[in-house]
Amino acid sequence: MTIRKLAVVAGVLFCGVLFRQSAWSAGKYGEIIASIRTGVFEPYRIGVDDFIPKDPAAPEAVRQTARQISDIVRDDLEYSYLFATRAPDPEYLKVFGVEKLSLYDWEKLYVGFVLVGDVETDGTEAIILSYTLYSVHKRLKPEEISSRRIRASARELRLLAHSIADDIYKQITDLQGIFRSRIAYSHIDSVGKEIFICDVDGHMPLRATFDRSINVSPRWASADEISYTSFKGNNPDLWLLNMREGKNRRLSSFPGLNSAAAWSPDGYRFAVTLTKDGNPEIYVFSKGEDKGERITFTPGIDSSPTWSPDGKYLAFTSDRSGKPQVYIMDVDGGNVQRLTYQGGHNDSPAWSPTLDLIAYVSRGPDRRFDIWTTTINGTHQRQLTSVGDNENPQWSPDGLHLVYSSTRSGSEEIYTMDFAGQNVRRITHGGGNSNPSWSPR
Amino acid sequence: MKRVLLLVLMGALVGLVVGCGSSAPPVEQSGPVDAVDDMPDRSGPSEGDDGLTDEQRMVQYLESLGFETVYFDTDKWNIREDARDALKKNAAIMADNPDIFMTVEGHCDERNTVEYNLALGERRAQSVRDYLVRLGVNDSRMKTISYGEERPAAFGHDDDSWQKNRRAEFKASK
């Protein structure tokens, strides 16, 4: 952004900064979510300075490491939706006639917060990182909010940077960040489909299953557990992979389908589609118990359940009207209400944990599949995608982002975007990636 | 059909004989590993004159039964007019071979989500099974499985491929 553009928005931002300072000291999750819901949210403006070596004579490698960490922190915060970030653009340095921006310089760039940091090495493989968060005010002295010093392995540099972003995010918004959350997805290889897991920004992809079978619909049961449907036992059974213990066990293996598992927000129950009693119906199980409760009773397909944040309702897909549509019911199966009416095919609902929105997939008149959101009372449908086939939306734990698969690049890849369809980021490459799911924090 | 069965049995016998014959001299371990792998495996399936194992011969036999694949309309699982003759033929094969079992595999095209397609594929397999029951095939001889969109027969992204993929396939077993 040029200085001229900055000047244009300066007045608005000035008020914004003052408002945000009071909001920051009050500490309020609900306030932020409410302002996002009503569309009046203004992002927190933060300047993330390039981190530098503590010792000016440090080798270039240390300078690069420091720089890389601040780049990741800035990228995380910018991605979060709650922040608008600034980097120490060379243009600013020229305008201010300095080599490094002071806190007073940063304030003139209309930020409310500034993060600075430095890196030391002690001759080992570890690095020691110090960072300080300031709030800056017009005509007032900058205030130090917090300062931390961390020693970490240089090999876990990305994780370190994400944890700094989480810390800054928490300190300013009082919300838990999502930067260390991960994304599970199915990846096709020559033998079948396996489950993979990557960081929220697509880095560090790891293979989680080695079944040489078809593994679909990974869903995080907790931060360490993923359930998925696999054909490895010659029947589509539901399996639970515990990554901490390295164990894999069958959760549900009734004859026929055991698919589309969805975990309740408290993690104690799961809803699943079974065909053991005939056609596809939804059942609710308590984790660790063999007997579930059947909650749908229709001759057609009932599938793809998703929990409301309070665990009292399920949205799901049913073709009881003749075409697949999204419905909501009480968790005991009562009080079924149809949610979607537009278009002949609406499927794959996902209930935002924070925004009272349900994302779903709709087939348009041109027969492409797009991600839409609707409010939970069925008003305000909003189309978020418009190129390729876009499927399987799942929310981030803060409810502000969606992960989904799309064929817009010609092959099937995983993307993320914010709840308004902006800030689109592709996180996989090479094709054959589908069925994503976002971990808890 | 009985002749095929007889062949299978004879093959098994020949296989047994070959298996016994090879049990006499111990295999020299000095040669390349490949050569050792080529030796008849005494514990595994045995080979007959045609160079096939019992297992392969059984697969060949079951495939030779000639079950016909049937196709579906988009998002539908009802049995189409053009599928009825094929299902009658499949029911007749089941009647002629009272010792075989059948797995009905439901498949879908790539459009729709993975989970919905798994459900839809199951529904297609079930509707075929129910139709075959009405044609006199015993329910206990049939099993259904849905592969959803996971095992396409055609790999294009067009109407023609999609139609080929919206199908029920039949696999025989003993």
Side-chain angles (χ1 to χ4, degrees):
Chain A
M1 193 184 262
T2 64
I3 296 292
R4 194 179 306 133
K5 278 189 205 149
L6 282 174
V8 173
V9 290
V12 181
L13 292 175
F14 177 62
C15 304
V17 168
L18 286 183
F19 164 75
R20 276 192 301 280
Q21 293 314 326
S22 59
W24 160 66
S25 48
K28 49 311 82 307
Y29 164 88
E31 227 174 86
I32 291 174
I33 295 299
S35 64
I36 291 173
R37 278 181 184 165
T38 49
V40 299
F41 177 76
E42 275 284 330
Y44 295 90
R45 300 200 163 252
I46 183 168
V48 179
D49 207 349
D50 289 338
F51 289 8
I52 51 167
K54 188 158 197 157
D55 173 8
E60 179 59 23
V62 181
R63 185 170 302 278
Q64 278 176 14
T65 299
R67 176 77 183 259
Q68 199 185 346
I69 292 171
S70 50
D71 282 351
I72 295 169
V73 173
R74 194 183 300 118
D75 186 46
D76 278 352
L77 292 174
E78 183 68 37
Y79 175 74
S80 72
Y81 190 85
L82 300 190
F83 284 84
T85 65
R86 288 228 191 292
D89 198 311
E91 197 184 344
Y92 304 153
L93 300 178
K94 215 163 77 191
V95 168
F96 291 116
V98 294
E99 294 208 340
K100 188 166 171 56
L101 296 175
S102 72
L103 293 174
Y104 293 97
D105 295 334
W106 275 111
E107 192 280 323
K108 294 191 186 76
L109 292 169
Y110 310 106
V111 297
F113 300 92
V114 178
L115 177 67
V116 300
D118 59 52
V119 169
E120 293 168 74
T121 51
D122 59 1
T124 69
E125 185 259 345
I127 54 172
I128 297 145
L129 190 124
S130 309
Y131 62 94
T132 308
L133 176 66
Y134 296 93
S135 68
V136 291
H137 317 263
K138 204 168 178 69
R139 287 190 291 273
L140 290 175
K141 235 182 109 199
E143 244 179 280
E144 181 180 317
I145 297 174
S146 72
S147 189
R148 283 188 216 278
R149 196 173 146 90
I150 309 173
R151 194 187 147 92
S153 161
R155 278 175 303 181
E156 294 187 329
L157 192 133
R158 299 200 68 88
L159 185 62
L160 171 67
H162 291 318
S163 70
I164 296 169
D166 272 333
D167 178 38
I168 301 303
Y169 186 87
K170 170 84 178 160
Q171 293 202 49
I172 294 176
T173 68
D174 213 27
L175 281 157
Q176 280 226 292
I178 57 168
F179 312 120
R180 278 174 293 175
S181 61
R182 289 178 300 162
I183 288 164
Y185 56 97
S186 285
H187 173 74
I188 295 181
D189 63 17
S190 57
V191 180
K193 269 187 182 179
E194 303 282 0
I195 309 296
F196 279 67
I197 298 170
C198 65
D199 285 355
V200 70
D201 52 10
H203 284 269
M204 316 295 275
L206 285 172
R207 184 167 165 179
T209 63
F210 297 84
D211 292 329
R212 302 174 66 81
S213 181
I214 299 169
N215 294 343
V216 295
S217 303
R219 293 283 187 279
W220 297 82
S222 68
D224 299 316
E225 295 169 302
I226 295 176
S227 68
Y228 61 101
T229 294
S230 175
F231 285 77
K232 61 185 156 183
N234 294 320
N235 187 65
D237 294 333
L238 188 63
W239 291 75
L240 185 70
L241 170 66
N242 186 316
M243 289 168 289
R244 185 173 292 245
E245 296 167 6
K247 280 185 189 148
N248 220 336
R249 66 183 174 87
R250 274 193 177 91
L251 261 189
S252 139
S253 52
F254 296 101
L257 267 191
N258 301 260
S259 84
W263 292 87
S264 62
D266 62 14
Y268 290 119
R269 287 176 293 171
F270 63 94
V272 62
T273 301
L274 304 176
T275 54
K276 70 184 178 80
D277 297 325
N279 57 312
E281 304 284 3
I282 297 170
Y283 299 71
V284 174
F285 286 76
S286 292
K287 199 179 173 187
E289 284 174 23
D290 295 338
K291 226 171 123 38
E293 191 193 346
R294 177 173 167 183
I295 58 168
T296 59
F297 298 86
T298 55
I301 292 171
D302 294 299
S303 181
S304 306
T306 174
W307 296 77
S308 65
D310 61 7
K312 289 180 181 165
Y313 308 96
L314 290 167
F316 63 106
T317 306
S318 176
D319 69 349
R320 60 189 69 189
S321 73
K323 291 277 185 187
Q325 295 290 350
V326 178
Y327 295 76
I328 294 180
M329 63 184 162
D330 297 348
V331 77
D332 64 4
N335 198 15
V336 179
Q337 303 206 355
R338 183 168 164 180
L339 184 67
T340 57
Y341 288 91
Q342 277 182 358
H345 186 116
N346 296 300
D347 180 18
S348 203
W351 203 314
S352 164
T354 54
L355 293 183
D356 283 349
L357 290 176
I358 290 175
Y360 61 101
V361 173
S362 187
R363 185 163 68 207
D366 56 356
R367 302 198 301 172
R368 278 187 318 97
F369 289 83
D370 277 314
I371 314 273
W372 289 64
T373 56
T374 173
T375 55
I376 53 173
N377 51 19
T379 59
H380 299 93
Q381 277 85 7
R382 184 175 192 176
Q383 183 177 351
L384 305 189
T385 58
S386 54
V387 184
D389 282 323
N390 304 279
E391 297 190 46
N392 288 293
Q394 292 281 315
W395 291 97
S396 58
D398 65 4
L400 303 179
H401 297 80
L402 285 159
V403 65
Y404 59 104
S405 65
S406 176
T407 60
R408 68 189 60 179
S409 71
S411 59
E412 201 172 22
E413 303 289 1
I414 311 294
Y415 293 77
T416 62
M417 62 184 169
D418 66 32
F419 66 92
Q422 304 299 308
N423 209 355
V424 175
R425 183 147 94 173
R426 174 171 163 181
I427 63 167
T428 60
H429 300 273
N433 301 302
S434 62
N435 242 238
S437 168
W438 209 312
S439 79
R441 294 182 182 89
Chain B
M1 284 305 152
K2 282 205 178 108
R3 214 174 43 203
V4 180
L5 260 177
L6 202 67
L7 248 166
V8 172
L9 274 172
M10 277 174 58
L13 261 172
V14 171
L16 262 175
V17 172
V18 171
C20 289
S22 70
S23 69
V27 176
E28 288 284 333
Q29 292 295 324
S30 57
V33 178
D34 284 345
V36 175
D37 283 350
D38 285 337
M39 296 299 287
D41 180 353
R42 273 164 282 152
S43 57
S46 49
E47 285 186 19
D49 307 343
D50 50 6
L52 293 177
T53 62
D54 286 355
E55 203 179 321
Q56 287 167 329
R57 210 169 292 115
M58 177 64 79
V59 169
Q60 228 175 41
Y61 157 62
L62 292 171
E63 278 174 0
S64 74
L65 292 170
F67 284 129
E68 278 186 24
T69 300
V70 295
Y71 298 92
F72 296 86
D73 289 334
T74 301
D75 281 345
K76 295 283 203 293
W77 61 74
N78 58 298
I79 304 299
R80 287 196 326 211
E81 199 73 36
D82 63 359
R84 290 183 185 169
D85 283 345
L87 291 179
K88 268 181 208 151
K89 191 186 158 196
N90 294 350
I93 294 170
M94 290 297 278
D96 290 345
N97 299 273
D99 55 340
I100 63 166
F101 296 87
M102 170 199 269
T103 300
V104 185
E105 294 181 359
H107 298 271
C108 304
D109 66 40
E110 63 184 358
R111 301 167 307 149
N112 287 355
T113 56
V114 166
E115 292 169 353
Y116 191 78
N117 277 337
L118 278 173
L120 183 59
E122 182 70 26
R123 210 69 192 80
R124 284 177 177 160
Q126 289 173 348
S127 116
V128 165
R129 179 200 58 199
D130 294 349
Y131 195 86
L132 290 171
V133 167
R134 286 204 294 280
L135 292 176
V137 184
N138 193 321
D139 198 11
S140 65
R141 294 175 62 202
M142 290 182 288
K143 175 181 180 294
T144 59
I145 188 166
S146 171
Y147 285 102
E149 63 183 78
E150 308 299 332
R151 288 197 172 162
F155 290 88
H157 308 284
D158 46 53
D159 284 333
D160 190 40
S161 296
W162 291 333
Q163 174 58 83
K164 283 180 180 142
N165 291 334
R166 293 190 301 269
R167 71 202 193 278
E169 284 188 22
F170 303 85
K171 297 282 151 69
S173 58
K174 277 240 177 187

